[in-house]
Amino acid sequence: MRKVRVRFAPSPTGPLHMGGVRTALYNYLFAKKHGGDFLLRIEDTDQGRFVPGAEQYIIEALKWCGIEPNEGVGYGGDCAPYRQSERKPMYKPYAEKLIAAGWAYYAFDTSEDLDNIRKQAELAKMPNWQYNSISRMTMKNSLTLPVDEVEKRLAAGDPYVIRFKMPRNEEVRFQDLIRGWVVFSTNELDDKVLFKSDGMPTYHLANVVDDMTMNISHVIRGEEWLPSAPLHVLLYKAFEWEAPLFAHLPLILKPDGNGKLSKRDGDRLGFPVFPLEWKDPETGAISSGYREKGYFPKAFINMLLLLGWAPGNNQEIFTEQEMIDAFTIERIGKSGSKFDPDKTRWFNQQYLRATPHHELAQMLQPLLKEKGIDVSLEYTENVVGLMMERAVFVEDMLEGMYLFQGPTEFDAEAVSKKWKVGESAVIIQKWADAMNALEDFSFESIDHRFKEFLQEENLGMGAVMPLFRLLLTGTLTGPAAAQVASVIGKEEVMKRVAFGIEKLG
RNA sequence: GGCCCGUUCGUCUAGGGGUUAGGACAGCAGAUUUUCAUUCUGUAAACAGGGGUUCGAUUCCCCUACGGGCUACCA
């Protein structure tokens, strides 16, 4: 087997969709598993669709996801350049080689000509007109025009394209690594343009030439390319090159209804479809990103891994090395997968819980600073210990703002339900005095003293705890009140109790 | 329309000629928790339909239905 070299080859026409990230991931894992190379090639042969910033976005997004190429745009390598626009001069000789070998021809029909023919055909109820092995004989090309006229046109600089001369009555078959044998009849394929009149190759030519010259061993790409795979196979044959192995990935579908996942679905259902936030340079419209929403890149990747691939056992959480070890193309599913935002959240929760407290504290601190709260890392770590089990995102731990500042208001419903003017204050004051006498203000110590206190006073849990919590936090929900007390410290507890009694009476 | 690809719980999936068709997310119900969350336990939930092949098919083959992709001088 030749050395594994795979590529991810997006077009810089906008932000990278999560489906693209998954394609990149599978390529990356496959390369790593086989000690191969993973390259990033930018396919920018369509100047009309170029979007500024898109290329940078792609590079940054892959970096954030931790699936970095070891060769390609932004990384360099022996096959540079990796941007097709910079490889422009390379392609024409290949197209000419094809013409010389009888695999391609010049065509002089303009876009307008073709549009007209298609319109006419539609009117005649032949909705699917193609420039193919039959119709080409009625068109203006180097197959139908006299040789001297062709030369004259070429010399005069008439615009032309180069088309592939699709053979007639042949079967193209190739073995897709995911689907098995796939068979096409050349009679259904058209004479695709390989080289455009603007001097640029089309995707098909550029892709095949680059894959060959970059020594790509496996082409792992989206299913939308399956219909053009036979053309690519034929191109390799025409060039007398060894074709890479193909694997066509099923698509990611929208969570509800039918069809492939699109930007609109994210807006509509409230989840990102892009790894990073993207601002459209034309409209200024913002599309949300997983990074900005507070997802861990590893959780995002782990989710993507399992969307269309399964290890065969019940493992769901994978380290990068485990992914690399377990990944095989054969275990990629054949059918499209509906994206599940809920499960994505679940993955994030799993990763959050697996993250050490001090790391979470480091992530939480900047968020606190934004809110004007400056506390020590040690203190933040205590907060994390208290809040992490109820959080899906780091940001969720901010819900316990009472860990940083005492309540100024009290939940009205809770007050009317639990607080009895005159009575409650007396009990709470007693309990506060008991706490005040405590040397050790750890959770265990407070908890222990609390139980004693209940015995001494002959009171039930429910008679004191909710009141205490209310004064501490202003609400009736959250972590154990004694734990909150321990984190904020004795002095603060006393302050809050005093404030509460004062305020509620 | 044509061509190609696909179809196991609501969703992601495991499985594979004889299984109580397994797991996870989401759902529901209980337990624990002063509360919320967590956790635990339990529960409901699937082989698209029809023909073959076979002693036996969810598994293999065919057809239909449904879904998806492609059908540009876009990738």
Side-chain angles (χ1 to χ4, degrees), chain A residues 58 97 125 212 241 271 278 285 327 340 459:
Chain A
I58 291 164
K97 213 164 132 186
K125 295 207 171 169
M212 186 57 219
W241 288 337
F271 61 82
W278 167 259
F327 186 78
D340 184 352
L459 287 166

Side-chain angles (χ1 to χ4, degrees), chain A residues 88 97 101 104 117 139 143 165 175-177 184 208 237 250-251 278 298 302 323 331 376 465 479:
Chain A
K88 184 174 174 181
K97 213 164 132 186
I117 291 173
M139 305 299 290
L143 266 19
K165 192 175 161 193
Q175 201 167 23
D176 185 276
L177 263 18
F184 290 84
V208 165
K237 189 179 166 194
L251 269 19
W278 167 259
K298 285 181 178 172
N302 200 145
M323 287 186 197
R331 296 201 64 90
S376 72
M465 221 19 137

Side-chain angles (χ1 to χ4, degrees), chain A residues 439-450:
Chain A
E439 283 281 318
D440 174 7
F441 213 64
S442 68
F443 163 67
E444 289 78 11
S445 165
I446 298 170
D447 192 51
H448 179 75
R449 185 68 190 89
F450 182 62

Side-chain angles (χ1 to χ4, degrees), chain A residues 345 364 367-368 371 383 387 390-405 473 475 477-479:
Chain A
R345 288 171 51 83
L364 187 58
L367 300 182
L368 288 171
K371 301 219 169 220
V383 171
M387 299 304 291
R390 56 225 306 129
V392 171
F393 302 105
V394 170
E395 192 194 19
D396 292 346
M397 293 188 280
L398 251 36
E399 265 176 39
M401 285 307 284
Y402 45 75
L403 292 169
F404 309 103
Q405 50 203 215
T473 69
T475 78
T477 63

Side-chain angles (χ1 to χ4, degrees), chain A residues 34-224:
Chain A
H34 297 284
D37 299 319
F38 170 55
L39 22 173
L40 174 66
R41 187 171 71 220
I42 297 292
E43 310 222 328
D44 55 349
T45 53
D46 186 356
Q47 281 129 339
R49 292 212 305 162
F50 175 81
V51 173
E55 180 186 299
Q56 196 47 46
Y57 179 99
I58 291 164
I59 292 169
E60 210 184 313
L62 292 179
K63 199 171 278 180
W64 181 69
C65 292
I67 45 186
E68 288 199 66
N70 54 326
E71 203 176 313
V73 174
Y75 296 88
D78 293 343
C79 303
Y82 293 90
R83 217 174 338 242
Q84 288 182 332
S85 57
E86 290 174 31
R87 300 169 71 79
K88 184 174 174 181
M90 289 184 47
Y91 302 110
K92 193 164 181 203
Y94 284 106
E96 282 166 345
K97 213 164 132 186
L98 252 20
I99 294 176
W103 279 98
Y105 58 90
Y106 296 104
F108 300 100
D109 320 272
T110 64
S111 300
E112 296 74 52
D113 292 343
L114 298 176
D115 283 349
N116 285 335
I117 291 173
R118 289 204 175 90
K119 268 180 207 145
Q120 300 256 316
E122 205 161 329
L123 255 39
K125 295 207 171 169
M126 304 271 294
N128 208 25
W129 185 87
Q130 290 196 138
Y131 205 123
N132 61 19
S133 55
I134 292 176
S135 66
R136 67 176 166 236
M137 296 320 285
T138 66
M139 305 299 290
K140 279 180 284 184
N141 54 51
S142 59
L143 266 19
T144 58
L145 266 20
V147 179
D148 56 335
E149 188 180 341
V150 171
E151 271 166 16
K152 213 172 73 196
R153 279 174 178 262
L154 257 22
D158 278 12
Y160 66 87
V161 300
I162 296 174
R163 283 182 182 272
F164 187 69
K165 192 175 161 193
M166 187 59 70
R168 192 106 200 120
N169 297 324
E170 276 184 32
E171 236 180 29
V172 184
R173 51 172 63 221
F174 63 94
Q175 201 167 23
D176 185 276
L177 263 18
I178 294 172
R179 287 147 216 289
W181 285 103
V182 183
V183 186
F184 290 84
S185 161
T186 55
N187 293 357
E188 282 129 23
L189 273 18
D190 61 348
D191 287 3
K192 276 272 178 295
V193 171
L194 300 177
F195 197 83
K196 302 186 266 190
S197 58
D198 67 358
M200 277 293 218
T202 60
Y203 168 84
H204 303 102
L205 210 223
N207 188 261
V208 165
V209 167
D210 286 347
D211 280 349
M212 186 57 219
T213 54
M214 293 180 184
N215 229 313
I216 297 302
S217 62
H218 300 255
V219 170
I220 304 169
R221 76 223 304 189
E223 195 183 25
E224 70 270 26

